[in-house]
Amino acid sequence: MTHIESGVGHVRVEVTAGSSEEARALADAAVDARLAACAQISGPITSVYRWEGSIHADEEWRIVFKTADDRLAELTALLVDRHSYEVPEIVAVPVEGGNPEYLAWVTESTRPRP
């Protein structure tokens, strides 16, 4: 994982939600709490998956959060707490590099309020 001068790494966190309203509420909550610098919502998408022994296909919205890796546990806890799904998809992928100024902004935007 690439670290910038702050020593903080970065992750992209992918989440799905069952409606655009829920996706927006999760995005707003995470950014407001400074647990993500930004969240991008796309959809609808179709997800095909096995749940409780049956194959399902549902319309969902994808949210991609950009955050510092030291905020991942708190972001995950917030998402689990506020998500309508029993077992929400929350998958973090390390950022291996990128624009140093952008990554610095992600770090700055995810620092706890004083």
Side-chain angles (χ1 to χ4, degrees), residues 12-15 72 88-93:
R12 289 172 44 104
V13 180
E14 295 185 17
V15 177
L72 179 58
E89 173 191 358
I90 303 171
V91 178
V93 179

Side-chain angles (χ1 to χ4, degrees), residues 7-69:
V8 175
H10 302 90
V11 292
R12 289 172 44 104
V13 180
E14 295 185 17
V15 177
T16 54
S19 70
S20 61
E21 295 81 12
E22 181 178 22
R24 179 61 190 264
L26 292 169
D28 287 347
V31 172
D32 183 58
R34 300 182 73 86
L35 297 176
C38 73
Q40 296 170 318
I41 300 168
S42 59
I45 60 172
T46 301
S47 294
V48 179
Y49 58 96
R50 182 180 308 279
W51 181 251
E52 297 180 341
S54 299
I55 302 290
H56 298 263
D58 290 314
E59 188 173 83
E60 294 186 301
W61 279 255
R62 178 183 297 121
I63 314 146
V64 178
F65 296 93
K66 280 62 164 263
T67 192
D69 61 4

Side-chain angles (χ1 to χ4, degrees), residues 4 37-38 66 100-110:
I4 59 174
C38 73
K66 280 62 164 263
E101 290 82 13
Y102 178 81
L103 297 176
W105 171 79
V106 169
T107 300
E108 177 186 327
S109 296
T110 57

